Amino acid sequence: MSLKRIELRAVLFCLSLSSALAQFTSSIQGVVTDAAGAAVPEAVVRVTNVATGVGRAAITSNEGLYRVVNLGPGTYRVDVAMKGFAPAERPSVPLGISETLRADFVLKVGDLVDQVTVTEQIAQEIGR
């Protein structure tokens, strides 16, 4: 067998392997809105594999959209955080092979204690 044929077979094998691996990746996506239905841009969405503790984060777009890709099958915890809003979570989101799961969130305005704490921290920084 010639060297060129071996190289061609190696390239084809790598391409088919990467294609096969791409078929086994999943994603979680959705939209984050407030109670009035308005998009919440720049919210932090964290997706964590419950079994391994490995996580990835995404930030919502101006339309409140997020997408976390290249996830393996398993159970995930999805947390959303944004200043001025109470945190939201889904503690157990099962994700299969080659699945795209939608997880939308509606954030509620944070309580008065949260807002006072943030204001106090900003006041201390300004006074420095």
Side-chain angles (χ1 to χ4, degrees):
M1 198 179 273
S2 73
L3 184 58
K4 285 189 178 191
R5 279 192 162 182
I6 292 173
E7 289 174 348
L8 179 60
R9 285 184 186 210
V11 168
L12 290 175
F13 174 75
C14 289
L15 288 175
S16 66
L17 182 61
S18 66
S19 175
L21 289 175
Q23 294 175 3
F24 294 106
T25 60
S26 300
S27 63
I28 297 176
Q29 65 186 26
V31 64
V32 179
T33 58
D34 64 15
V40 178
E42 299 184 10
V44 176
V45 180
R46 183 140 182 92
V47 176
T48 306
N49 184 304
V50 174
T52 65
V54 175
R56 291 200 190 133
I59 296 177
T60 58
S61 68
N62 288 337
E63 296 80 25
L65 301 172
Y66 76 92
R67 184 171 187 189
V68 180
V69 297
N70 296 327
L71 300 171
T75 301
Y76 289 85
R77 175 186 170 113
V78 183
D79 297 287
V80 180
M82 180 65 183
K83 287 183 183 178
F85 292 93
E89 70 174 343
R90 293 221 174 112
S92 181
V93 178
L95 190 63
I97 296 173
S98 299
E99 182 177 14
T100 297
L101 185 75
R102 186 168 181 104
D104 296 336
F105 290 87
V106 177
L107 299 183
K108 297 178 183 176
V109 175
D111 61 32
L112 187 56
V113 174
D114 290 339
Q115 292 175 359
V116 170
T117 302
V118 171
T119 304
E120 181 181 332
Q121 289 174 348
I122 292 172
Q124 287 176 353
E125 289 177 13
I126 291 173
R128 288 184 184 172

